[in-house]
Amino acid sequence: MKYIQSPREIERKSFEIITRELEVELPDPQTAPIIKRVIHTTADFEYAKLIKIHPEAVEAAQKALQEGCRIYTDTNMVLSGINKRILKKYGGEVYCLVGDPEVAREAKERGVTRSMVAMEKAMADPETKLFVIGNAPTALFILCQGIQEGKAKPSAIIGVPVGFVGAQESKELLMEQTVPHITIQGRKGGSTVAVAIVNALLYMLE
Amino acid sequence: MKYIQSPREIERKSFEIITRELEVELPDPQTAPIIKRVIHTTADFEYAKLIKIHPEAVEAAQKALQEGCRIYTDTNMVLSGINKRILKKYGGEVYCLVGDPEVAREAKERGVTRSMVAMEKAMADPETKLFVIGNAPTALFILCQGIQEGKAKPSAIIGVPVGFVGAQESKELLMEQTVPHITIQGRKGGSTVAVAIVNALLYMLE
C-alpha cells in the first residue's frame, strides 16, 4: 500500500486540506495557526467555531514563552505532549503535580480531586506564568477563583477542560476573566487540544 | 461558585449524562463501557457511531492485559495516559520508542516518520502483544503490513490515528485484518481516544 511517509509532507498536506475544507474565514494570521492546529489534532472542524481567543492572549502567551516562563499543566498527557525542544530553547519549563504523592494524600483526605490540590500548590508559585488546563474543570475553577482573590497573576491561561460535569461552566467562568485566555465553548476540549494550542504558539515563535 | 469536587461523583454523573444523551442503544455490556469512556474523553457523541470493535477484541485485549503483556504505543502522550496502577497490578508494561535518539537518527536518514522506525523496532519484539496507535497513520500502516508478512503476531490492536493524511486509510486497512482490533472510522481518533479505550479495558478487569 502506498502512503506518504515524510513527516513534513504529511503536515503540509494536512494543513492544506484543513484550509480548503474550513467553512469559516480565518483572516487573523495570529490566531489562524492555532485554530488549524486544533483541527489537525482532533479532525473536528467544529473547533473553528468553538474556540475563543482573547484579543491579548496570543501576544501575552508568546511573550511568556519567549521569556522562558514556567508552565503549569493539570495532566501528565499535556506535559508529555508539549514540544520541549522549542520550550527549552527559550529557557522555559513545564510541570505537573497531579502525580505527586503528597498531592494524592491531601486530595484523598479532603475528598477533592488531585487536580484541585495540585492547582492550589501551582498557584502558590509566582514564577508560574502560564497555566494549561486540558482535563480538570476543578483545576480551572480553582484557578479562576485564585485570580479573583489576587492569589494568582498568570500572563495567560489556556483552559480547555473537556467533559460533562463542570467543564462548560469552568470555561464560561474563564471567559469572564480579564486575564488573557484561550478556551473552547461548550463541553469539548481535552489534553490533545491543549497541547495543540501550546505547540501552535511555540511553532509561531520559530 | 459551587461545583462538584469529588472525583467519584464527577465520574458517576458524567457517565449518567452520557447514558441519557446517547442516541444509539448500547446493548453489549462488554463494549458499552469502552464507547462511553471514549465519549467521556472527547465530549463527542459521534464516536458511538464511528467506533468499530472487532467481535474478539475485548476478550483478546483483556486476556493480554491480565497476563501482564507488553504494550507498544506510538506516542508519549498515550504512554503517560494509560493507567499504570492497574497495568502494573497484572504485571504489564507500556513503552514507546519515538523519543529514542537512535530512532530519530534513522528516521531522519531515511526521510520517514520516527513513528515508522519505532514501530519496526517494536514489531521485532515478540513479547509485545498489544499495539496502541493514537497518532501516526504511518505506524499503523507498517504494523498491518508486518502482520500480513507474518512479522508481527499481536493479540490485539487499538488503532485510532487521527488526521487528514493517511489516518482514514490506515484504519480501513486495519479493519481488513483478522487480528482483533478496535478502531474509529474516518478521520477522528487521537491519543486521548486511544487512552480511553485502554483504560476502559483495564477498569473492566477490576
Side-chain angles (χ1 to χ4, degrees):
Chain A
M1 185 149 188
K2 286 255 176 206
Y3 52 93
I4 305 176
Q5 303 187 354
S6 149
R8 278 193 195 174
E9 181 59 15
I10 291 171
E11 175 133 335
R12 194 197 58 73
K13 198 154 178 222
S14 296
F15 279 87
E16 190 187 291
I17 294 169
I18 293 166
T19 305
R20 194 171 59 224
E21 293 191 21
L22 258 172
E23 283 173 9
V24 291
E25 290 260 347
L26 303 178
D28 184 350
Q30 245 203 346
T31 56
I34 298 171
I35 300 167
K36 287 182 189 176
R37 189 158 293 275
V38 169
I39 295 169
H40 178 250
T41 292
T42 56
D44 186 347
F45 283 94
E46 217 195 330
Y47 279 103
K49 289 166 198 162
L50 297 178
I51 194 164
K52 298 295 151 193
I53 303 176
H54 181 279
E56 288 156 36
V58 175
E59 210 181 311
Q62 286 193 318
K63 187 167 175 284
L65 290 168
Q66 264 176 323
E67 287 170 356
C69 72
R70 297 197 83 184
I71 305 175
Y72 180 74
T73 179
D74 68 327
T75 71
N76 283 306
M77 281 187 79
V78 172
L79 181 79
S80 100
I82 290 175
N83 189 313
K84 253 77 78 195
R85 186 184 60 77
I86 308 178
L87 189 67
K88 278 182 193 159
K89 210 173 99 176
Y90 294 97
E93 54 170 347
V94 52
Y95 71 110
C96 173
L97 297 171
V98 290
D100 190 279
E102 172 60 26
V103 166
R105 194 194 50 74
E106 191 179 327
K108 203 170 176 183
E109 236 176 63
R110 292 167 51 191
V112 298
T113 66
R114 287 183 299 161
S115 303
M116 281 177 72
V117 179
M119 179 55 86
E120 289 168 0
K121 291 192 192 299
M123 284 196 313
D125 173 5
E127 292 303 307
T128 304
K129 296 294 182 196
L130 208 58
F131 287 87
V132 183
I133 315 298
N135 190 57
T138 52
L140 188 53
F141 277 124
I142 287 277
L143 178 59
C144 290
Q145 213 172 349
I147 288 167
Q148 286 166 349
E149 291 166 2
K151 284 181 194 163
K153 288 192 179 69
S155 301
I157 298 172
I158 290 143
V160 294
V162 58
F164 297 87
V165 176
Q168 182 165 347
E169 295 80 356
S170 71
K171 290 182 286 186
E172 282 167 5
L173 186 60
L174 176 60
M175 283 185 257
E176 291 169 14
Q177 309 304 312
T178 53
V179 55
H181 56 266
I182 300 177
T183 188
I184 305 292
Q185 278 189 308
R187 290 166 165 176
K188 286 184 178 178
S191 298
T192 50
V193 173
V195 167
I197 294 168
V198 176
N199 285 347
L201 290 163
L202 287 169
Y203 296 148
M204 281 192 282
L205 291 179
E206 294 280 278
Chain B
M1 186 149 189
K2 286 257 175 203
Y3 53 92
I4 305 176
Q5 303 186 355
S6 149
R8 279 193 195 173
E9 183 58 16
I10 292 171
E11 175 134 335
R12 193 196 58 73
K13 201 158 174 220
S14 296
F15 279 86
E16 191 186 290
I17 294 169
I18 293 166
T19 306
R20 195 172 57 225
E21 292 191 20
L22 258 172
E23 283 174 7
V24 289
E25 290 259 349
L26 303 178
D28 184 350
Q30 247 203 342
T31 57
I34 298 171
I35 300 167
K36 288 183 188 175
R37 189 160 292 276
V38 169
I39 295 169
H40 179 250
T41 291
T42 56
D44 186 347
F45 282 94
E46 216 196 330
Y47 279 103
K49 288 167 199 159
L50 298 178
I51 194 165
K52 298 294 152 194
I53 304 176
H54 180 279
E56 288 156 37
V58 176
E59 211 181 310
Q62 286 192 318
K63 188 165 174 285
L65 290 168
Q66 265 176 322
E67 288 170 355
C69 73
R70 297 195 85 182
I71 305 175
Y72 180 74
T73 180
D74 67 328
T75 72
N76 282 308
M77 283 188 78
V78 171
L79 182 79
S80 100
I82 289 174
N83 189 312
K84 254 75 80 195
R85 188 184 58 77
I86 308 177
L87 189 67
K88 279 182 190 158
K89 212 174 97 176
Y90 294 98
E93 54 171 347
V94 53
Y95 72 110
C96 173
L97 297 171
V98 289
D100 190 281
E102 170 62 23
V103 165
R105 194 194 50 75
E106 191 179 327
K108 202 170 178 183
E109 237 176 62
R110 291 168 51 191
V112 298
T113 67
R114 287 184 298 160
S115 302
M116 281 177 72
V117 179
M119 178 56 84
E120 289 168 0
K121 292 194 190 298
M123 284 196 311
D125 174 3
E127 291 304 307
T128 303
K129 295 296 185 195
L130 209 57
F131 287 88
V132 182
I133 315 300
N135 191 59
T138 51
L140 189 52
F141 277 124
I142 286 278
L143 178 59
C144 290
Q145 212 172 345
I147 288 167
Q148 286 166 348
E149 291 166 2
K151 284 181 194 161
K153 287 192 179 70
S155 301
I157 298 170
I158 291 143
V160 295
V162 59
F164 296 87
V165 177
Q168 183 166 345
E169 295 80 357
S170 71
K171 292 182 285 184
E172 281 167 6
L173 185 61
L174 176 60
M175 284 186 258
E176 291 169 14
Q177 309 304 312
T178 53
V179 55
H181 55 264
I182 300 177
T183 190
I184 305 291
Q185 278 188 309
R187 290 165 165 177
K188 286 186 179 177
S191 297
T192 50
V193 172
V195 167
I197 293 169
V198 176
N199 285 347
L201 289 164
L202 286 168
Y203 296 148
M204 282 193 281
L205 291 180
E206 294 282 277

